Amino acid sequence: MSGGRWRDRCVAALGLTVIWVLLWGSFTPLTVVGGLVVAVITLIVFPLPPVTYAGRIHPLGLLRFVTRFLRDMVMASAQVASLAFRFGHVPRSAVIAVPLRCPSDLGLTLTAEALSLVPGSLIVDADRKRGVLYVHVLGVESPDDAEKFRQDVLDLESRIIQAFGSPAERRVIKEVPA
């Protein structure tokens, strides 16, 4: 196995160990060692496919992504709370297919994860071959609302690619209209 692959596995094991410790809620030697053992066994039994990353982190793009992501989370939380407290009103929802412009494994995953963290939206399915995300969305009242949400997802993808994408992906985002 190449050095890069070993590094990736070590990073994955470290990440899984951190998640384990956070889930247990205590930072003790036993929790850390237990998490490391579980992480190693998990990575042996369920090996991760290699993910190629040809890009680099772009600080300005990352700042734009994080700032807008936090704003979106606050706004969506308020909207979901508003829907929850509107008595007598049954909120409508929809499943919307969003074909991404840069459907690399990493871009698809990062977009899906960021989208799932925002209240009111949830990834139902992802078509990896075609690069399409199927998203369940609360509060969709009309086809215009669905189209606005689809555009918001493409804008999110653009911010993620501007933060983490390769030069080729960044060119595609600029050239292909949303």
Side-chain angles (χ1 to χ4, degrees):
M1 195 178 309
S2 71
R5 183 84 171 124
W6 272 106
R7 184 193 70 231
D8 292 347
R9 285 182 156 222
C10 288
V11 168
L14 180 65
L16 289 172
T17 303
V18 168
I19 291 170
W20 179 268
V21 169
L22 291 173
L23 287 172
W24 279 100
S26 64
F27 186 75
T28 65
L30 183 60
T31 308
V32 173
V33 171
L36 190 58
V37 168
V38 169
V40 169
I41 291 171
T42 301
L43 290 172
I44 290 171
V45 175
F46 304 106
L48 295 172
V51 175
T52 57
Y53 179 60
R56 64 181 180 90
I57 296 175
H58 304 277
L60 187 57
L62 181 62
L63 180 64
R64 286 185 188 125
F65 165 68
V66 169
T67 303
R68 178 64 189 265
F69 178 71
L70 292 174
R71 179 184 159 267
D72 288 348
M73 284 190 61
V74 170
M75 296 293 291
S77 296
Q79 289 169 347
V80 169
S82 170
L83 285 174
F85 289 110
R86 287 176 63 188
F87 297 106
H89 172 74
V90 178
R92 298 186 67 193
S93 62
V95 175
I96 301 170
V98 183
L100 300 180
R101 293 169 290 173
C102 292
S104 67
D105 286 346
L106 187 60
L108 186 79
T109 302
L110 289 175
T111 303
E113 289 297 328
L115 197 54
S116 288
L117 290 172
V118 175
S121 61
L122 181 68
I123 300 298
V124 176
D125 193 16
D127 184 340
R128 184 175 166 217
K129 283 185 179 179
R130 293 185 6 213
V132 178
L133 293 177
Y134 296 91
V135 189
H136 180 269
V137 187
L138 279 176
V140 175
E141 300 290 334
S142 68
D144 289 340
D145 290 345
E147 183 57 33
K148 181 185 177 315
F149 181 80
R150 189 186 73 75
Q151 185 60 51
D152 289 346
V153 173
L154 292 175
D155 291 345
L156 172 64
E157 176 199 24
S158 178
R159 287 189 299 277
I160 287 172
I161 296 300
Q162 292 299 327
F164 302 106
S166 68
E169 290 173 324
R170 290 167 61 102
R171 275 192 303 278
V172 167
I173 290 295
K174 287 180 183 176
E175 293 170 1
V176 177

